[in-house]
Amino acid sequence: MAVRAVRGAVQLERDESGHMHERVAELLTAVLERNGLTADDLISVWFTATPDLHADFPAAAARKLGIVDVPLICAQELDVRGAMPRVIRVLAHVECSLDKSEIAHVYLGAAAALRKDIAQ
């Protein structure tokens, strides 16, 4: 087993708690499924949100999804002029047997434009 990092992002249509929970759950589920992982494989998860998101903490969506015994943290993304609005990014540290080149980084919807080099 190795420790690997998995990246991902999703853009929200609006700044509402329920919508955020849905989109974060979709993102985390896709990260786990596309990499053949379960919540037990998670070591820790970092979330960032663009400064225009205020409705809730992305980590609250992870807890609601059942990820309850994994350290989670939220931070604000840099406020860069011209950056894509309403984006939640994730950096998950996992234990798995995948090689680095086999990791599927997940960028959903319009967020795929953020990292065309690694989005799958």
Side-chain angles (χ1 to χ4, degrees):
M1 290 293 217
V3 174
R4 300 286 183 226
V6 185
R7 290 287 318 268
V10 64
Q11 184 182 39
L12 306 185
E13 285 78 39
R14 58 194 176 280
D15 184 21
E16 295 174 359
S17 181
H19 178 62
M20 179 184 290
H21 284 218
E22 290 171 11
R23 296 307 310 263
V24 171
E26 179 184 6
L27 177 61
L28 290 174
T29 300
V31 164
L32 294 173
E33 288 178 355
R34 292 183 193 182
N35 288 288
L37 302 169
T38 68
D40 287 339
D41 298 316
L42 294 170
I43 297 169
S44 64
V45 182
W46 281 78
F47 295 96
T48 64
T50 51
D52 53 359
L53 293 174
H54 308 279
D56 206 345
F57 296 99
R63 297 287 185 226
K64 192 173 180 181
L65 191 61
I67 300 172
V68 294
D69 61 350
V70 175
L72 307 175
I73 192 164
C74 298
Q76 188 175 73
E77 191 70 34
L78 294 173
D79 191 8
V80 176
R81 190 175 309 119
M84 185 180 289
R86 299 176 316 280
V87 174
I88 294 176
R89 291 171 174 85
V90 63
L91 174 63
H93 299 98
V94 301
E95 281 186 311
C96 67
S97 58
L98 297 172
D99 289 333
K100 285 182 184 179
S101 63
E102 296 175 305
I103 296 292
H105 303 283
V106 179
Y107 289 78
L108 300 178
L114 297 171
R115 290 298 306 265
K116 292 179 183 177
D117 57 326
I118 63 172
Q120 298 183 13

